[in-house]
């Protein structure tokens, strides 16, 4: 029943919001601009100095009088006088039109809505792609953080309930701590239930050990794991998807940079033939202990498996 009511409320809200037309949006803008210029609570009628029941003749007369007062030629140097004069003409046009005045009278009596539809705000603010992506990132991260908070509170209640049940099974209804270790079984899966075959089965049972105020989980290997409220994982901004993606990208970038540095340091160095490290004697083909050749000789070159004699340059 609650779900149906909620869905019906959303449907009505969507219908109301989608009912705003282009003309309605124009009225919203005029109301906002008029109140910003003339003061909060100023209406089309009060600005023209006519009652809300004014006839078309009265509106025309008031418009002519107001247009003379606000004409830019009579108000040289007045800030925003052109915008004010143009606004007067649009307001008078709405009040002179039967349908336009009917739409304005509706908002005049019921108030301008605070929420005017996503299309209205988008058309006026026109957020760019970057703004939309930032908004969606903040929204989804906030929702993820909310889910983490709810899960943490749920896990915290489960841990506290398991600790209480273990102590109750070990100490009895009086909950007076006893000396020594006591092995107990705690039901984590609810009460007994009937399976498809009609057999009564107990809930999921977990072996625990209670030692004074400490409660441990006993795994099949015989190891004991302390159970306390720290077992529940609290919500953290660092575990939202965007922050995790950012941290992961930074780590990958650092890892690739470190690999590049390691590869550069471990790369073998090759002596060039004309480098000073190669030495004059080795460059001329002389073996160790031999006198280096004079600069006029060309080093012997190995060709076809044989070494040619060094020839003197002419």
């Amino acid at each position: 029943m609650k779900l149906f009511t909620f869905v019906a409320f959303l449907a009505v809200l969507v219908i109301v919001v989608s009912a705003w037309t282009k003309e309605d949006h124009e009225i919203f803008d005029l109301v906002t601009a008029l109140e910003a210029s003339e003061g909060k609570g100023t209406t089309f009628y009060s600005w023209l100095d006519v009652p809300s029941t004014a006839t078309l003749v009265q509106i025309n007369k008031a418009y002519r009088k107001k247009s003379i007062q606000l004409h830019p030629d009579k108000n040289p140097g007045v800030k925003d006088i052109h915008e004010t004069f143009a606004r007067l003409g649009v307001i008078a046009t709405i009040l002179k039109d039967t349908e336009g005045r009917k739409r304005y009278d509706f908002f005049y009596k019921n108030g301008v809505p605070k929420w005017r539809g996503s299309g209205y705000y988008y058309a006026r603010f026109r957020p760019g792609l970057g703004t939309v992506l930032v908004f969606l990132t903040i929204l989804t991260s906030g929702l993820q953080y909310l889910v983490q908070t709810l899960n943490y509170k749920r896990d915290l209640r489960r841990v506290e309930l398991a600790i209480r049940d273990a102590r109750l099974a070990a100490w009895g209804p009086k909950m007076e701590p006893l000396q020594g270790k006591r092995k107990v079984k705690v039901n984590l899966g609810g009460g007994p239930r009937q399976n498809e075959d009609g057999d009564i089965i107990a809930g999921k049972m977990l072996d625990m050990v209670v030692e004074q105020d400490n409660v441990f989980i006993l795994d099949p290997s015989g190891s004991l794991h302390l159970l306390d409220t720290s077992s529940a994982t609290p919500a953290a901004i660092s575990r939202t998807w965007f922050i995790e993606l950012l941290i992961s990208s930074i780590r990958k970038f650092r890892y690739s940079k470190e690999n590049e540095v390691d590869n550069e340091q471990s790369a073998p160095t090759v002596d060039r033939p004309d480098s000073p490290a190669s030495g004059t004697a080795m460059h001329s083909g002389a073996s160790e202990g031999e006198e280096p050749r004079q600069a006029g000789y060309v080093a012997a070159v190995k060709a076809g498996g044989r070494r040619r004699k060094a020839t003197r340059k002419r």
Side-chain angles (χ1 to χ4, degrees):
M1 187 64 182
K2 292 183 178 179
L3 179 61
F4 174 78
T5 304
F6 180 71
V7 172
F9 172 76
L10 286 181
V12 172
L13 182 62
V14 169
I15 293 174
V16 171
V17 170
S18 62
W20 306 142
T21 63
K22 180 181 177 181
E23 290 74 16
D24 295 334
H25 291 166
E26 184 181 28
I27 292 174
F28 299 157
D29 287 338
L30 287 170
V31 170
T32 302
L34 184 62
E35 290 187 343
S37 175
E38 307 299 328
K40 189 71 174 177
T42 304
T43 66
F44 292 1
Y45 296 115
S46 64
W47 194 41
L48 288 175
D49 196 20
V50 294
S52 59
T53 57
T55 63
L56 183 58
V57 174
Q58 291 175 309
I59 292 175
N60 284 327
K61 183 179 179 180
Y63 166 66
R64 287 193 296 269
K65 180 181 178 180
K66 195 77 172 178
S67 63
I68 294 174
Q69 294 175 356
L70 298 178
H71 198 280
D73 293 342
K74 292 184 175 293
N75 298 273
V78 177
K79 185 180 179 181
D80 298 331
I81 189 62
H82 290 85
E83 290 79 2
T84 304
F85 186 75
R87 187 183 306 123
L88 174 64
V90 177
I91 289 176
T93 301
I94 291 175
L95 295 182
K96 291 177 184 179
D97 180 69
T98 304
E99 188 62 29
R101 184 173 181 179
K102 181 179 179 182
R103 294 302 303 169
Y104 174 73
D105 285 345
F106 173 82
F107 300 118
Y108 174 76
K109 296 175 181 178
N110 299 282
V112 176
K114 296 185 179 298
W115 173 253
R116 304 169 187 179
S118 56
Y120 172 82
Y121 295 105
Y122 181 82
R124 277 137 189 87
F125 298 107
R126 293 192 179 277
L129 179 60
T131 304
V132 173
L133 291 178
V134 170
F135 172 75
L136 292 177
T137 299
I138 295 175
L139 178 63
T140 54
S141 299
L143 291 175
Q144 187 179 9
Y145 183 80
L146 177 62
V147 171
Q148 290 180 8
T149 303
L150 296 177
N151 290 338
Y152 172 67
K153 292 181 179 180
R154 180 199 61 192
D155 295 341
L156 205 60
R157 287 194 297 268
R158 288 181 176 178
V159 170
E160 293 173 348
L161 181 61
I163 292 175
R164 184 184 64 83
D165 291 344
R167 289 173 177 172
L168 181 63
W171 300 341
K174 294 183 178 181
M175 296 291 285
E176 296 179 357
L178 302 176
Q179 297 296 326
K181 295 182 179 179
R182 292 182 177 272
K183 180 180 177 182
V184 296
K185 286 186 176 292
V186 177
N187 186 352
L188 299 180
R193 60 186 184 276
Q194 190 174 18
N195 61 11
E196 297 178 354
D197 299 329
D199 300 327
I200 302 299
I201 57 175
K204 183 179 179 180
M205 306 300 291
L206 184 66
D207 291 330
M208 291 188 176
V209 173
V210 179
E211 183 179 9
Q212 295 182 353
D213 291 336
N214 296 325
V215 177
F216 302 89
I217 297 176
L218 179 64
D219 61 21
S221 65
S223 301
L224 296 176
H225 305 280
L226 180 64
L227 180 64
D228 56 13
T229 54
S230 63
S231 302
T233 305
I237 296 294
S238 59
R239 290 195 297 108
T240 56
W241 73 269
F242 180 74
I243 301 300
E244 285 187 337
L245 178 63
L246 187 62
I247 294 175
S248 176
S249 301
I250 293 175
R251 287 176 178 173
K252 288 181 179 179
F253 177 76
R254 288 181 177 177
Y255 179 75
S256 62
K257 285 294 183 182
E258 291 175 357
N259 282 347
E260 289 179 3
V261 173
D262 292 342
N263 291 337
E264 290 177 358
Q265 293 177 350
S266 61
T269 57
V270 180
D271 290 341
R272 295 172 57 187
D274 56 349
S275 63
S278 59
T280 306
M282 298 303 296
H283 179 71
S284 61
S287 61
E288 184 178 357
E290 293 182 354
E291 291 292 329
R293 296 183 184 273
Q294 297 178 1
Y297 285 91
V298 178
V301 179
K302 197 172 183 180
R306 294 181 297 176
R307 183 178 297 275
R308 296 187 302 173
K309 291 182 179 180
T311 57
R312 188 180 182 84
K313 290 184 179 178
R314 293 182 179 180

